[in-house]
């Protein structure tokens, strides 16, 4: 499968479960349930495949540890940011990491980007930041710090994933790696929620259909993105997966009729789409 096709499928999965998640109450903790469902469905067999197929198990284990912690920081920071501002403002800021990933990827993991790729990465970062710029106003200011922390978490786990995937030759092994990182992050997230709410699991349930789709897609889609990092720089893979932000922006205006700052969001989403085409051309 070509990297572009893999990312397009992953984006379709991501947008699907995100759309279902947006219709669940925050108290249902959709992310907690979806990851638990993924672990139940995939971890028992994909972890076995990963252990059998991993080239250097010590490298993979170290990457799982680092990525799990970074994922937990990403989940917790994103949840905190959502308490201060809507998803349409917070999520683009949290996904503004490709430029950081590109810089650190070149310095530490041997990635090489073409001039066209650098142009696309810089333009996509600017476009994403513009999508979230209205978060500077009013109460939404409180979302800026946790959203920035989530972006840092994305940078760290993406670079760890890039190192790990070189040791994982098949999609099944890569999915086992995702299960390992999700298991560690889910345990830390559960402990964090318990300290905040006094409960070991959420008091509400997102519903059977959202839970099933989330469990099937949340890890499977990210496994496809990680797989492309065997042949693409990590920054390209993460930036191209942000196509989901473009789709979500247009759906929010034309399907869900969210009119606040609609013109600006469409302009910036179009700019983001154009920058992603530059990156795709550099692949």
């Amino acid at each position: 499968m070509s990297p572009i096709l893999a990312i397009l499928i992953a984006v379709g999965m991501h947008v699907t479960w995100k759309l279902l998640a947006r219709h669940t109450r925050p108290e249902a903790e959709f992310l907690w349930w979806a990851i638990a469902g993924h672990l139940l469905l995939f971890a028992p067999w994909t972890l076995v495949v990963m252990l059998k197929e991993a080239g250097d198990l010590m490298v993979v284990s170290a990457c799982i540890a680092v990525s799990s912690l970074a994922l937990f920081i990403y989940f917790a920071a994103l949840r905190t940011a959502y308490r201060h501002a809507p998803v349409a403002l917070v999520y683009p800021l949290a996904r503004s990491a490709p430029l950081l990933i590109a810089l650190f990827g070149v310095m530490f993991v041997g990635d090489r980007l073409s001039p066209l790729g650098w142009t696309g990465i810089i333009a996509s970062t600017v476009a994403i930041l513009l999508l979230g710029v209205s978060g500077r106003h009013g109460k939404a200011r409180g979302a800026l710090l946790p959203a920035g922390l989530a972006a840092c978490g994305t940078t760290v786990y993406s670079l760890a994933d890039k190192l790990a995937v070189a040791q994982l030759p098949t999609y099944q092994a890569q999915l086992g790696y995702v299960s390992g990182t999700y298991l560690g992050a889910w345990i830390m997230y559960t402990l964090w929620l318990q300290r905040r709410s006094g409960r070991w699991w959420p008091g509400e349930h997102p519903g059977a259909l959202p839970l099933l789709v989330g469990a099937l897609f949340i890890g499977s889609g990210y496994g496809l993105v990680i797989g492309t990092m065997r042949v693409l720089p990590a920054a390209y893979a993460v930036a191209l997966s942000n196509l989901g932000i473009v789709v979500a922006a247009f759906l929010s205006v034309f399907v869900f009729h969210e009119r606040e700052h609609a013109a600006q969001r469409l302009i910036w989403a179009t700019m983001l789409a154009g920058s992603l085409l530059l990156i795709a051309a550099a692949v």
Side-chain angles (χ1 to χ4, degrees), residues 95-182:
R95 296 293 297 179
S96 62
L99 182 56
L100 290 175
I101 296 171
L103 292 171
F104 288 113
V106 168
M107 289 189 288
F108 298 115
V109 301
D111 279 345
R112 294 291 180 267
L113 280 67
S114 69
L116 186 62
W118 275 111
T119 302
I121 291 292
I122 293 170
S124 72
T125 302
V126 171
I128 289 173
L129 290 173
L130 288 173
L131 271 170
V133 74
S134 58
R136 295 173 181 267
H137 303 292
K139 184 181 176 182
R141 289 177 181 270
L144 295 181
L145 180 59
L149 187 60
C152 292
T154 301
T155 302
V156 173
Y157 72 67
S158 296
L159 294 175
D161 298 343
K162 170 69 175 180
L163 289 173
V165 77
Q167 309 297 327
L168 303 169
T170 66
Y171 175 67
Q172 291 82 1
Q174 294 153 15
L175 198 55
Y177 171 82
V178 172
S179 297
T181 62
Y182 276 7

Side-chain angles (χ1 to χ4, degrees), residues 164-214:
V165 77
Q167 309 297 327
L168 303 169
T170 66
Y171 175 67
Q172 291 82 1
Q174 294 153 15
L175 198 55
Y177 171 82
V178 172
S179 297
T181 62
Y182 276 7
L183 177 60
W186 184 79
I187 290 172
M188 287 184 274
Y189 192 57
T190 299
L191 293 171
W192 183 73
L193 289 175
Q194 198 279 333
R195 286 180 62 88
R196 294 176 67 88
S197 66
R199 302 177 62 96
W200 286 103
W201 53 83
E204 297 188 24
H205 189 280
L209 180 60
L211 175 55
L212 178 60
V213 173

